[in-house]
Amino acid sequence: MEHEVFVPVPAERLREVLDDPARVARAVPGLQQDAGAEPVAGRLKIRVGSHSVTYRGAVRVSRRDGDAYAVEGEAEESRGSGSVKLSLRIALRTAEDGCTVVYDGTASADGRIKDLPADAVESAVTRLLNRFAEHLAAAATGADDEAPTPPPPSGQDSGAAAEGKAPADPGLTEEPPADPERPSVFGVDVPPSSLGPEDEEDEEDIAEAAHARRTMIGRSAEEVDHAPPRGRYAPVPAPQTVTPAAPLRWAAPAAALAVASAIVAVRALRRRR
């Protein structure tokens, strides 16, 4: 396996990142570190085409003679019996406006990833190496942004401390002046109204509408929607058009009495004959 990636970062800055295992762990894309384990140890999910395989293992990065770094790693599938062994060499070659990260090594694997297409596996590994180099460059350039801020001047610090620790002597401090009393609105006389009769009627309508709004406060929206209007806005009931049913109450008994009387009269006439 051979691969090269150019990054716009000097080689010296990348060496500082590769010498720190914690920063190397943060540069591995998708690595979920285990608590209390080695810096470059945890779970790594790799997507190969439409499949994904999750490995759990550890990687060790050590500096060799010169400007090269050796990477040795072993991992096993979190859901399966497959495993991966990696032996990689990373070299930094100085280039114009940056440097080139050169990968050279071998890897052996079995399990699920062995059954996947070779071109898909190669594409996934190339993408992983490219992102690792980009993250290394981002970590190297972010070192300047994390520089500590300089402390404030001694004069300002001493002045702030003097203000915060000033003794509170009751004999030297002056009491703040008392606020002048504001006139109360309840003691002011209300002048008589200068509105005419028509204006007074309009004022009564406004007051009645305001009273209706005040009575709706505290009631639910359903009660307000279905509550009938009050006061002069209440609906006038329609006149009743139903006639009393007193004559109909006696019509049926009277008809029955007449029929019974006719039957009795007919029977009496037949007996006389």
Side-chain angles (χ1 to χ4, degrees):
M1 178 176 57
E2 296 180 359
H3 187 63
E4 296 182 1
V5 183
F6 172 80
V7 292
V9 178
E12 293 76 8
R13 304 294 298 276
L14 289 183
R15 292 190 186 96
E16 296 177 0
V17 178
L18 290 173
D19 291 336
D20 188 355
R23 300 174 71 180
V24 172
R26 290 194 296 267
V28 177
L31 177 64
Q32 299 179 2
Q33 294 179 268
D34 294 336
E38 299 178 12
V40 193
R43 299 176 58 185
L44 179 62
K45 185 176 182 180
I46 301 177
R47 180 172 295 277
V48 181
S50 59
H51 303 272
S52 60
V53 185
T54 302
Y55 291 96
R56 180 185 296 274
V59 175
R60 293 169 297 277
V61 181
S62 58
R63 189 168 184 177
R64 299 301 184 185
D65 297 337
D67 298 336
Y69 292 84
V71 179
E72 302 289 338
E74 297 179 358
E76 297 180 355
E77 294 182 5
S78 59
R79 297 181 180 180
S81 58
S83 62
V84 173
K85 292 184 179 180
L86 175 67
S87 178
L88 191 65
R89 179 178 178 273
I90 301 178
L92 303 178
R93 188 173 58 201
T94 304
E96 185 179 359
D97 298 333
C99 69
T100 303
V101 182
V102 181
Y103 299 100
D104 184 11
T106 59
S108 60
D110 56 3
R112 293 179 54 191
I113 199 170
K114 190 176 181 180
D115 300 333
L116 299 177
D119 55 348
V121 175
E122 183 179 358
S123 177
V125 173
T126 302
R127 182 172 60 252
L128 182 63
L129 296 178
N130 290 340
R131 294 181 58 188
F132 177 66
E134 294 173 358
H135 290 184
L136 287 177
T141 56
D144 294 340
D145 299 337
E146 299 177 358
T149 56
S154 58
Q156 297 180 1
D157 192 5
S158 60
E163 292 180 0
K165 299 181 180 179
D169 190 356
L172 300 178
T173 57
E174 297 181 358
E175 296 182 357
D179 296 337
E181 296 183 358
R182 299 181 180 179
S184 176
V185 297
F186 298 100
V188 180
D189 297 336
V190 179
S193 176
S194 60
L195 302 177
E198 298 179 356
D199 297 336
E200 293 180 357
E201 293 180 0
D202 296 341
E203 188 176 2
E204 292 178 359
D205 297 342
I206 296 174
E208 187 174 356
H211 175 71
R213 286 195 299 269
R214 285 195 298 271
T215 55
M216 293 182 182
I217 297 176
R219 303 166 66 185
S220 64
E222 184 178 358
E223 292 177 350
V224 172
D225 293 341
H226 298 283
R230 299 181 180 180
R232 62 185 299 179
Y233 301 101
V236 179
Q240 298 181 359
T241 57
V242 181
T243 58
L248 298 178
R249 186 184 305 173
W250 302 102
L257 181 60
V259 173
S261 301
I263 294 174
V264 172
V266 171
R267 290 181 178 179
L269 293 175
R270 288 181 179 177
R271 289 177 182 177
R272 290 181 180 179
R273 292 178 182 178

